[in-house]
């Protein structure tokens, strides 16, 4: 399986090279030349563990990793750092099935893909005789940062630099990042939003002069963002696993369609569901849930992607994004795998902040449904589901739950549906607890965690206990235009 750049048909690399590079030349993303079909039956998958399922999916994409290498990466990633042996749990609430992807070390779904990325990357470096230290350069809207830091902390031969919007993450998300230990870790708050952080990171990746300067100093960049195919492939696994487990439990008949509802910002998570569908998993509708930054909802409604709008800070900060990087992989595909057509649209996005797809391309989006939830709707659904079912969810999951209710109302489709639960409510205690009862607003975030434990009957996760008294290690804050400068200072070049 080779990988090709979405912006240059001539640029082809192996899976391990794509993982190492992170981003293709000229800002393109790596995509597989084709989406492989699963070669194991759902009945067999239904009997497999998460780790075994991961191997069956990932072996089809990461074909230059040996069986031994891939199984070692998988088993090192999905181990006792997850607080459930299932790795991803399915919980039935109000007739829908919540796929809880927050049982890892940093209590967000990013753990699912970022636990394995360091292992894939180090294996890829050895495979390609890389002698340089690998510098992981990442922008985060809240969750990727901590999960990447936890994965790469003190991994030999790597450094990791994480940029986050100083005023655009939850207090607990920020505390998780700035208390991160590890001599190879560096966390920087920027005076700007996530899109600016992401654009700054991409700019450094495509700066050839900087690449040469890094090389001379013994470094090379790679990415832990979902622009890295090594992040995307592991995400496909949990949709395959969820369907198989739904069949095993009798919730769905083998062959019947399952819908998925995904809270979406950067579009990687729902793109993974699209890939799973194309591998042969019977996924019906891909329900794309946005918050008030509803650039994706508008795109699916009109065929026009327009980032020229106000950037809104919401209670679901991981979705506060106006440039959904992974959408480019879908655009490339519906453009008939045309790097030329994709490049034309991406140039328009960069120059004018807007592009419109053709009617033929729009027709290929029939399996997607987009909608959004306002801040009021998000808070209301947290309260309603808690009062009705005793289940407490974080604001990102609540956006998905609210959009799913809209989808049901719009379509009367009663297909079994998996709602992707992307973070623990403990990561967003203030938003969650004040949604349940306004009287909580005067407590501190950690006092609210104690209250949440009482209400939810779910123990406070270790990730929260660990940061209560942890000292702040990372205090650097910079302007957007200083990002390259602070990276160089950290690397002493």
């Amino acid at each position: 399986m080779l990988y090709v750049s979405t912006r240059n048909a001539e640029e082809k690399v192996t899976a391990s090279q794509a993982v190492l590079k992170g981003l293709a030349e000229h800002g393109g993303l790596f995509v597989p030349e084709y989406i492989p079909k699963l070669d194991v039956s759902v009945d067999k998958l239904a009997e497999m563990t998460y780790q075994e399922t991961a191997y069956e999916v990932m072996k089809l994409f990461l074909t230059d990793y040996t069986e031994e290498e891939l199984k070692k990466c998988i088993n090192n990633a999905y181990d006792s750092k997850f607080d459930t042996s299932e790795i991803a749990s399915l919980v039935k609430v109000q007739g829908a099935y919540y796929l809880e992807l927050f049982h890892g070390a940093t209590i967000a779904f990013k753990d699912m893909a970022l636990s394995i990325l360091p292992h894939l990357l180090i294996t890829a470096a050895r495979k390609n005789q890389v002698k340089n230290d690998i510098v992981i350069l990442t922008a985060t809207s809240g969750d990727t940062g901590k999960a990447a830091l936890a994965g790469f902390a003190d991994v030999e031969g790597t450094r990791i630099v994480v940029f986050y919007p100083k005023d655009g993450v939850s207090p607990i998300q920020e505390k998780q990042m700035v208390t991160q230990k590890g001599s190879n870790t560096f966390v920087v708050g920027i005076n700007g939003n996530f899109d600016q952080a992401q654009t700054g990171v991409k700019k450094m990746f495509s700066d050839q002069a900087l690449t040469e300067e890094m090389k001379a100093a013994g470094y090379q960049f790679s990415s832990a963002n979902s622009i890295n195919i090594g992040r995307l492939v592991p995400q496909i696994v949990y949709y395959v696993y969820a369907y198989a487990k739904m069949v095993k439990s009798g919730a769905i008949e083998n062959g019947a369609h399952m819908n998925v509802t995904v809270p979406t910002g950067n579009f990687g998570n729902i793109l993974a569901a699209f890939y799973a569908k194309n591998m042969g998993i019977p996924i019906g509708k891909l329900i794309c849930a946005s918050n008030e930054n509803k650039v994706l909802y508008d795109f699916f409604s009109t065929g026009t992607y327009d980032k020229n709008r106000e950037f809104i800070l919401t209670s679901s900060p991981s979705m506060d994004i106006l440039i959904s990087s992974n959408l480019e992989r879908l655009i490339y595909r519906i453009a008939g795998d045309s790097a030329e057509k994709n490049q034309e649209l991406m140039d328009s996005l960069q120059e004018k902040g807007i592009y419109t797809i053709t009617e033929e391309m729009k027709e290929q989006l029939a399996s997607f449904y987009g909608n959004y939830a306002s801040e009021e709707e998000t808070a209301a659904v947290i309260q309603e589901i808690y009062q009705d079912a005793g289940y407490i969810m974080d604001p990102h999951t609540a956006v998905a739950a609210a959009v799913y209710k809209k989808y049901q109302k719009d379509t009367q489709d009663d297909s079994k549906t998996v709602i992707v639960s992307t973070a623990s409510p403990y990561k967003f205690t203030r938003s969650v607890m004040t949604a349940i009862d306004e009287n909580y607003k005067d407590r501190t975030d950690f006092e609210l965690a104690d209250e949440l434990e009482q209400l939810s009957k779910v123990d406070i996760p270790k990730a929260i206990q660990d940061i209560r008294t942890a000292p702040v290690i990372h205090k650097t804050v910079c302007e957007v235009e200083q990002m390259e400068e602070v990276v160089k200072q950290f690397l002493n070049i």
Side-chain angles (χ1 to χ4, degrees):
M1 169 73 79
L2 292 178
Y3 287 78
V4 63
S5 167
T6 53
R7 301 190 190 183
N8 176 8
E10 302 306 306
E11 190 182 354
K12 288 185 182 179
V13 296
T14 64
S16 63
Q17 288 166 341
V19 169
L20 265 177
K21 286 172 75 97
L23 199 65
E25 307 284 335
H26 313 299
L29 306 185
F30 287 116
V31 288
E33 285 194 297
Y34 61 93
I35 297 176
K37 294 292 180 195
L38 279 165
D39 58 4
V40 58
S41 71
V42 168
D43 287 333
K44 280 191 179 161
L45 287 165
E47 300 306 318
M48 289 183 185
T49 62
Y50 191 87
Q51 293 85 341
E52 289 164 342
T53 308
Y55 177 70
E56 292 301 333
V57 173
M58 291 170 67
K59 72 175 189 187
L60 302 172
F61 287 94
L62 307 177
T63 53
D64 66 332
Y65 287 74
T66 66
E67 179 177 350
E68 185 189 359
E69 285 169 341
L70 196 47
K71 284 184 172 173
K72 189 178 175 190
C73 290
I74 288 165
N75 293 329
N76 283 340
Y78 304 116
D79 59 7
S80 60
K81 66 176 140 315
F82 285 82
D83 65 19
T84 168
S85 59
E86 293 173 297
I87 308 298
S89 304
L90 271 169
V91 181
K92 189 177 182 183
V93 181
Q94 289 188 332
Y97 295 81
Y98 285 78
L99 181 63
E100 294 183 344
L101 300 177
F102 53 75
H103 290 281
T106 77
I107 58 176
F109 84 101
K110 303 296 169 77
D111 288 323
M112 304 297 291
L114 276 164
S115 294
I116 194 168
L117 186 62
H119 303 290
L120 292 175
L121 200 63
I122 296 305
T123 306
R126 282 200 297 268
K127 200 178 274 300
N128 291 279
Q129 287 82 49
V130 168
K131 299 287 185 280
N132 293 336
D133 273 13
I134 296 161
V135 180
I136 304 297
L137 197 58
T138 290
T140 185
S141 52
D143 288 335
T144 286
K146 175 60 183 179
L149 289 161
F152 282 95
D154 293 321
V155 171
E156 202 177 329
T158 70
R159 307 285 184 96
I160 177 163
V161 183
V162 170
F163 290 98
Y164 74 97
K166 184 75 185 80
D167 300 314
V169 299
S170 83
I172 284 177
Q173 284 177 314
E174 182 172 48
K175 189 87 192 279
Q176 278 189 300
M177 288 189 279
V178 297
T179 57
Q180 177 65 50
K181 294 175 185 167
S183 58
N184 65 335
T185 66
F186 186 44
V187 180
V188 185
I190 67 156
N191 292 317
N193 61 40
F194 169 72
D195 285 334
Q196 290 170 304
Q198 184 167 252
T199 301
V201 163
K202 282 185 169 180
K203 191 174 157 198
M204 281 186 265
F205 267 102
S206 50
D207 183 334
Q208 290 306 312
L210 179 60
T211 300
E212 289 305 316
E213 205 175 337
M214 294 272 293
K215 203 192 239 175
Y219 297 114
Q220 69 186 65
F221 283 136
S222 189
S223 172
N225 278 85
S226 54
I227 54 176
N228 191 320
I229 199 72
R231 267 282 303 277
L232 189 63
V233 170
Q235 289 184 271
I236 301 167
V237 177
Y238 44 75
Y239 295 103
V240 176
Y241 181 76
Y243 187 82
K245 287 300 168 260
M246 291 275 280
V247 169
K248 185 176 184 181
S249 70
I252 200 167
E253 275 186 45
N254 190 357
H257 278 101
M258 164 185 96
N259 291 340
V260 295
T261 306
V262 188
T264 307
N266 221 6
F267 206 73
N269 207 351
I270 198 164
L271 182 72
F274 174 78
Y275 276 29
K277 177 182 170 79
N278 283 275
M279 291 182 82
I281 293 296
I283 292 172
K285 276 288 180 188
L286 297 148
I287 301 165
C288 178
S290 301
N291 65 16
E292 288 183 356
N293 292 292
K294 57 187 179 65
V295 64
L296 286 165
Y297 164 59
D298 292 340
F299 169 72
F300 283 115
S301 305
T302 65
T304 294
Y305 192 96
D306 184 359
K307 75 174 185 75
N308 300 317
R309 61 184 71 206
E310 184 192 354
F311 185 96
I312 302 165
L313 291 173
T314 73
S315 60
S316 46
S318 299
M319 298 158 68
D320 290 347
I321 293 172
L322 295 180
I323 304 172
S324 303
S325 286
N326 272 290
L327 185 63
E328 179 171 345
R329 287 186 164 114
L330 182 66
I331 296 297
Y332 171 82
R333 184 178 171 90
I334 63 174
D337 293 348
S338 168
E340 195 179 352
K341 178 63 179 170
N342 176 67
Q343 179 78 61
E344 181 191 312
L345 294 171
M346 295 307 126
D347 285 348
S348 178
L349 182 66
Q350 191 170 351
E351 289 156 21
K352 302 172 192 162
I354 187 169
Y355 64 79
T356 301
I357 61 173
T358 64
E359 282 304 313
E360 296 77 42
M361 290 168 75
K362 203 173 169 188
E363 281 165 20
Q364 293 181 64
L365 299 176
S367 57
F368 285 90
Y369 166 93
N371 216 318
Y372 78 102
S374 68
E375 285 290 87
E376 293 73 26
E377 288 167 332
T378 303
V381 91
I382 291 173
Q383 185 187 60
E384 185 262 315
I385 290 176
Y386 166 66
Q387 288 175 346
D388 179 64
Y391 186 73
I392 300 181
M393 61 184 64
D394 92 291
H396 303 77
T397 309
V399 166
V403 165
Y404 173 57
K405 287 175 188 289
K406 290 184 181 185
Y407 172 77
Q408 283 184 300
K409 195 176 169 192
D410 286 351
T411 64
Q412 273 72 58
D413 180 0
D414 62 356
S415 301
K416 291 290 191 320
T417 298
V418 165
I419 296 175
V420 178
S421 183
T422 54
S424 164
Y426 279 102
K427 221 162 187 178
F428 303 94
T429 50
R430 182 160 304 283
S431 302
V432 170
M433 295 302 286
T434 52
I436 289 170
D437 187 337
E438 282 263 302
N439 294 323
Y440 285 117
K441 65 177 182 292
D442 298 325
R443 313 274 179 92
T444 69
D445 286 83
F446 289 107
E447 285 170 345
L448 290 172
D450 295 327
E451 294 287 350
L452 179 54
E453 184 175 44
Q454 298 296 316
L455 288 191
S456 66
K457 310 287 189 288
V458 174
D459 291 347
I460 296 176
K462 184 176 182 295
I464 300 297
Q465 299 287 30
D466 286 351
I467 60 168
R468 273 183 193 262
T469 54
V472 171
I473 295 168
H474 304 277
K475 297 173 182 173
T476 306
V477 178
C478 76
E479 301 304 319
V480 175
E481 52 275 13
Q482 295 173 310
M483 288 170 65
E484 182 180 322
E485 193 184 315
V486 297
V487 169
K488 285 181 172 178
Q489 283 169 358
F490 172 59
L491 299 174
N492 293 315
I493 58 174

